[in-house]
C-alpha cells in the first residue's frame, strides 16, 4: 500500500467540492432543497472513508470532516432546518469516530487485554500503561468540557481549518528536522528500527506533556494524532511506538468525545439524521481506519512526518483557492 491511500480522502473532498460548485448556479432561492436535505448513504460512505483514513493520520480528521460537510452541502443556510442539519452534521463528525475506536480495539486487542489484566492485578506492565494513558488523557478531559461550546461556535469552519493545517505542517517539519539531528548526534540512522522505551516505561511527566499537546488539537485542522505523535517523539519514542501510544490514547479520548456528543446531542442528531446512514458511516469508518492504521505504522518508520506536512500545506492551498479566491 502506498501514500496514495491518503490521497483518497483529498480526491473525495475535491470531487464533491467541484460537483457542488457546478450545481450551485442552477439552484434558485425558491426551489432550495435545504429543508428536505438529509444525510444519505452516499454522504455516510464519503464521511466514513474520510474519517477512517484521516483519524489516525497526522492530517486532522475533524478538519477533513468539516470541509467534507461543507462540500456535501450538510451545512450552510440561515433557515432553521439548515442550522439544525449543520449542528447534527457537526455532532456526527464526532460520533462517527466510533468507527476509528472499533478499529483500534480490533488491531490492538493484545495491548488492551494486558491493560485489563493489569487492572485485575495480574500484569504490572499493563497497569503502568493504563496509568500512563489516563494521565495523558486528563488534560483533554478537563479542557474539552470547558472549551467545547467555544470551539464549535468559533472554530468549526473552513478558514480555521486552513490556518490549523498550515500551522500544524510547519510544526511537523520543525520536529522532523529536530528528530533527524538528534539521531545524527547519536550516530543512528532514521531508517533503523530502534523502538526506544516501551509505552509502559514512559514517565508520568512525559505522558502529561503528550496530553497537553493533545489539547492543542481541539482546534479543528490541527490533528490529535499529529500532536500526540510529536509528543511521543519528544518523549523519546520511535515512530512506531509514538503512533501506537497515539492510537491507544485516541481510544480513550475519542470514546469520551463521542460519548459526550451522544449524551448532549444524540436526541437532536437522531431526529435530524436517519439511523441507517449514521450506522453505515461508522461501519465504513471502521474498515477504513483499520487499513490506515496498518499502513501508517510502516510509513512513519520509513518516511517520518514530513510527507504529511507537505500534504497538509497542499490541501490548505487548494481549499483556500477554491473557497476564497
Amino acid at each position: 500500500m502506498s501514500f496514495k491511500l491518503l490521497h483518497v480522502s483529498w480526491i473525495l473532498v475535491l470531487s464533491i467540492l467541484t460537483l457542488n460548485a457546478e450545481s450551485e448556479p442552477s439552484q434558485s432561492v425558491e426551489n432550495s432543497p435545504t429543508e428536505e436535505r438529509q444525510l444519505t448513504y452516499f454522504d455516510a460512505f464519503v464521511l466514513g472513508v474520510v474519517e477512517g483514513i484521516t483519524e489516525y493520520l497526522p492530517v486532522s480528521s475533524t478538519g477533513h470532516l468539516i470541509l467534507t460537510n461543507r462540500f456535501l452541502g450538510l451545512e450552510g443556510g440561515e433557515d432553521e432546518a439548515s442550522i439544525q442539519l449543520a449542528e447534527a452534521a457537526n455532532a456526527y463528525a464526532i460520533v462517527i469516530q466510533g468507527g476509528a475506536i472499533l478499529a483500534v480495539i480490533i488491531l490492538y486487542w493484545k495491548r488492551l487485554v494486558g491493560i485489563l489484566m493489569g487492572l485485575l492485578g495480574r500484569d504490572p506492565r499493563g497497569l503502568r500503561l493504563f496509568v500512563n494513558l489516563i494521565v495523558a488523557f486528563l488534560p483533554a478531559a478537563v479542557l474539552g468540557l470547558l472549551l467545547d461550546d467555544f470551539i464549535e461556535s468559533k472554530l468549526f469552519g473552513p478558514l480555521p481549518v486552513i490556518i490549523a493545517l498550515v500551522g500544524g505542517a510547519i510544526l511537523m517539519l520543525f520536529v522532523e528536522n529536530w528528530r533527524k539531528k538528534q539521531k545524527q548526534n547519536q550516530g543512528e540512522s532514521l531508517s533503523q528500527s530502534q523502538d526506544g522505551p516501551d509505552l509502559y516505561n514512559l514517565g508520568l511527566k512525559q505522558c502529561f506533556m503528550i496530553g497537553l499537546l493533545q489539547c492543542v488539537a481541539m482546534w479543528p485542522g490541527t490533528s490529535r494524532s499529529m500532536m500526540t505523535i510529536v509528543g511521543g517523539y519528544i518523549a523519546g519514542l520511535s515512530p512506531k511506538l509514538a503512533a501506537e501510544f497515539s492510537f491507544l490514547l485516541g481510544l480513550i479520548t475519542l470514546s469520551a468525545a463521542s460519548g459526550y456528543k451522544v449524551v448532549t446531542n444524540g436526541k437532536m442528531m437522531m431526529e435530524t439524521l436517519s439511523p441507517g446512514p449514521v450506522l453505515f458511516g461508522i461501519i465504513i469508518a471502521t474498515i477504513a481506519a483499520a487499513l490506515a492504521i496498518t499502513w501508517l505504522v510502516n510509513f512513519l518508520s520509513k518516511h517520518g512526518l514530513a510527507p504529511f506536512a507537505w500534504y497538509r500545506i497542499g490541501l490548505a492551498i487548494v481549499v483556500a483557492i477554491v473557497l476564497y479566491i
Side-chain angles (χ1 to χ4, degrees):
M1 192 178 298
S2 69
F3 197 55
K4 291 180 181 178
L5 174 66
L6 179 60
H7 293 170
V8 172
S9 59
W10 191 354
I11 292 171
L12 281 171
V13 169
L14 295 180
S15 299
I16 296 162
L17 182 152
T18 303
L19 291 172
N20 191 52
E22 290 176 351
S23 63
E24 280 180 358
S26 63
Q27 295 178 356
S28 63
V29 175
E30 292 79 11
N31 293 330
S32 176
T34 313
E35 299 179 33
E36 301 177 358
R37 182 71 168 95
Q38 284 288 323
L39 183 78
T40 66
Y41 280 94
F42 173 76
D43 297 331
F45 176 81
V46 172
L47 291 169
V49 171
V50 172
E51 157 62 22
I53 291 177
T54 61
E55 180 58 57
Y56 295 111
L57 303 189
V59 295
S60 177
S61 63
T62 304
H64 278 73
L65 288 172
I66 289 172
L67 295 175
T68 304
N69 280 342
R70 170 71 177 268
F71 302 149
L72 285 170
L74 293 173
E75 62 177 55
E78 301 296 331
D79 59 283
E80 184 177 348
S82 296
I83 294 173
Q84 187 174 10
L85 178 62
E87 291 177 351
N90 285 336
Y92 184 54
I94 306 299
V95 173
I96 199 175
Q97 293 172 339
I101 294 168
L102 289 174
V104 170
I105 292 174
I106 293 169
L107 293 177
Y108 289 94
W109 65 270
K110 290 184 179 179
R111 283 279 197 187
L112 297 176
V113 169
I115 290 174
L116 178 60
M117 291 296 101
L119 293 174
L120 296 175
R122 299 174 60 183
D123 188 341
R125 293 180 176 182
L127 180 60
R128 287 201 298 271
L129 176 55
F130 174 76
V131 172
N132 286 347
L133 291 171
I134 293 299
V135 169
F137 167 69
L138 286 177
V142 175
L143 293 179
L145 290 173
L146 294 176
L147 300 177
D148 180 65
D149 291 338
F150 172 81
I151 291 169
E152 286 202 6
S153 63
K154 303 296 183 182
L155 300 179
F156 265 64
L159 183 58
V161 169
I162 291 171
I163 294 171
L165 284 171
V166 175
I170 294 171
L171 174 62
M172 292 164 72
L173 291 173
F174 174 81
V175 170
E176 195 60 50
N177 185 60
W178 169 82
R179 175 175 165 262
K180 182 177 180 180
K181 290 181 178 179
Q182 289 289 107
K183 288 292 185 181
Q184 289 174 345
N185 292 338
Q186 297 170 10
E188 300 174 6
S189 169
L190 283 173
S191 63
Q192 289 178 327
S193 58
Q194 298 184 8
D195 287 346
D198 204 334
L199 303 183
Y200 56 81
N201 286 327
L202 288 175
L204 295 183
K205 290 183 179 179
Q206 293 172 310
C207 295
F208 190 74
M209 175 270 295
I210 295 173
L212 289 176
L213 289 176
Q214 180 177 234
C215 293
V216 178
M218 291 176 185
W219 182 310
T222 304
S223 173
R224 187 204 62 79
S225 178
M226 182 266 287
M227 295 305 301
T228 52
I229 290 174
V230 165
Y233 276 13
I234 297 172
L237 295 176
S238 67
K240 174 184 175 182
L241 288 180
E244 187 171 336
F245 191 82
S246 175
F247 301 153
L248 294 172
L249 178 57
L251 179 63
I252 301 174
T253 305
L254 299 181
S255 296
S258 298
Y260 179 75
K261 285 300 176 185
V262 169
V263 171
T264 57
N265 298 96
K267 182 178 179 181
M268 175 271 296
M269 187 175 66
M270 295 310 297
E271 288 176 349
T272 306
L273 308 178
S274 301
V278 167
L279 294 176
F280 179 67
I282 292 174
I283 294 171
I284 295 298
T286 302
I287 298 170
L291 294 173
I293 288 171
T294 303
W295 171 78
L296 176 62
V297 172
N298 292 327
F299 188 89
L300 270 181
S301 298
K302 294 179 181 178
H303 305 287
L305 290 169
F308 297 104
W310 294 116
Y311 167 83
R312 292 168 64 107
I313 292 173
L315 178 61
I317 291 172
V318 171
V319 174
I321 290 173
V322 173
L323 291 181
Y324 298 109
I325 296 180

